[in-house]
Amino acid sequence: MGAEGTTEDAVRNHAAGGGPAPGSVALDGVTVRFRARRHEVTALTGIGLEVGAGGFTAIVGPSGCGKSTLLKLVAGLLSPTEGEVRLGGERVRGPRPDIGYVFQRAALLDWRTARRNILLQAEMRGLPKEPARRRAAELITMTGLDGFEDAYPHELSGGMQQRVALCRALLHRPPVLLMDEPFGALDALTREQMNTELNRVWRETGTTVLLVTHSIAEACALAERVVVMSPRPGRITETVEVGLGPLRVYAETVERPAFRTATARVRALLGAASAGD
Ligand code: ADP
Ligand code: MG
């Protein structure tokens, strides 16, 4: 336990060192207003957030507080009404190819095997076939899908389907991975396994991760910091630093004092928010 973090930190610092970091994410004074019928909805207001390259940040907050909107801004699928979003130091002006996205539903194509669902990412981007196949094979091993490459989605459990979706999202080696309640539909035990696996994937790929989750435990078990948001219009109430190293094994992590401190803080912040003002 005492040695955790040293090697991973060294690798990540080395990977992130020098020059503009492709995986950094920044939101500066961001407000998003939607025009819905006659009235306007302010989804997010005054959002300032910086995530360093290779960082893991979780976002929690009540339904409708703008969590999905925040991820869409980073992906360039939405433009802020005010403020600026930057990816790798560069202003986001439209859909960004250098991100991976995982949603609550795996959204796999029924008629394609696991491997061919993963390779869809390469086909859509016109990437060279051989390197894509090699990368798919690496990711399949990394996520414990060996032996299921040729299975169709209906032959896979929910957890395995989400692993396939994760591999697909990572195929093109995106510097940033956006996850929107990716494990929300899984049973508790599978979810814990997926958390441990996501942690390994994060450490092994050095990808910056932004994870939206409803689970306080999941947020604190995985992230380096947890952004707690207020009810709509979403603002950042507080960013809680989770004082745990990068190596997380769910069952062990949840027993650690730093985990308990962080979850208690996040719960208090969410409780205070829902109590209203
Ligand atoms: P969350 O993911 O935290 O549940 P969302 O980001 O999906 O919240 O939505 C934030 C708020 O913005 C909600 O009130 C939602 O109804 C509204 N909203 C989201 N997208 C749109 C849209 N395209 N048009 C109008 N209102 C929207
Ligand atoms: Mg959402």
Side-chain angles (χ1 to χ4, degrees):
M1 240 198 255
E4 79 173 40
T6 49
T7 327
E8 286 88 358
D9 281 341
V11 170
R12 212 188 336 277
N13 290 342
H14 175 73
S24 64
V25 175
L27 287 87
D28 225 341
V30 166
T31 291
V32 173
R33 279 189 287 272
F34 291 112
R35 208 151 290 146
R37 304 199 185 198
R38 278 150 185 253
H39 61 284
E40 264 193 351
V41 176
T42 303
L44 292 172
T45 185
I47 301 287
L49 176 65
E50 284 201 26
V51 182
F56 195 132
T57 296
I59 300 162
V60 299
S63 277
C65 77
K67 302 178 296 296
S68 296
T69 300
L70 197 154
L71 293 192
K72 286 178 199 159
L73 289 169
V74 176
L77 301 174
L78 258 181
S79 299
T81 315
E82 288 165 26
E84 188 174 296
V85 181
R86 291 186 302 278
L87 206 59
E90 205 178 280
R91 190 166 183 167
V92 175
R93 294 178 188 281
R96 293 286 295 236
D98 49 347
I99 56 126
Y101 225 131
V102 179
F103 303 94
Q104 184 167 348
R105 287 194 54 249
L108 305 178
L109 299 179
D110 296 339
W111 59 91
R112 281 183 165 234
T113 62
R115 190 200 330 266
R116 293 199 60 234
N117 264 290
I118 296 167
L119 287 169
L120 187 65
Q121 183 77 267
E123 290 170 32
M124 280 166 29
R125 292 166 184 271
L127 301 178
K129 281 207 174 97
E130 253 328 291
R133 287 186 73 85
R134 281 199 299 275
R135 181 61 180 156
E138 276 171 24
L139 289 166
I140 283 166
T141 301
M142 201 190 288
T143 55
L145 281 172
D146 280 315
F148 294 92
E149 300 89 332
D150 298 319
Y152 287 89
H154 75 270
E155 299 172 305
L156 299 172
S157 66
M160 283 183 171
Q161 292 183 18
Q162 272 312 56
R163 290 186 181 103
V164 174
L166 180 59
C167 292
R168 183 180 57 193
L170 292 171
L171 189 78
H172 54 303
R173 299 178 191 273
V176 178
L177 177 64
L178 306 175
M179 307 185 86
D180 200 345
E181 301 182 29
F183 309 135
L186 304 178
D187 65 84
L189 204 58
T190 306
R191 191 166 185 159
E192 293 182 9
Q193 286 166 358
M194 295 296 290
N195 281 350
T196 301
E197 280 171 25
L198 175 59
N199 172 261
R200 189 171 65 238
V201 168
W202 171 59
R203 287 183 290 111
E204 290 184 7
T205 58
T207 305
T208 308
V209 180
L210 279 179
L211 169 76
V212 167
T213 175
H214 272 124
S215 162
I216 297 171
E218 182 168 275
C220 296
L222 284 169
E224 295 172 302
R225 51 195 63 87
V226 179
V227 170
V228 181
M229 293 180 62
S230 71
R232 200 181 71 204
R235 303 167 187 274
I236 295 177
T237 309
E238 190 173 307
T239 299
V240 176
E241 295 289 332
V242 182
L244 294 163
L247 177 64
R248 313 281 179 91
V249 174
Y250 191 87
E252 291 165 18
T253 300
V254 297
E255 298 297 331
R256 298 181 49 190
F259 172 84
R260 295 215 191 94
T261 307
T263 50
R265 182 69 191 146
V266 172
R267 189 167 288 119
L269 289 164
L270 288 172
S274 64
D277 40 303

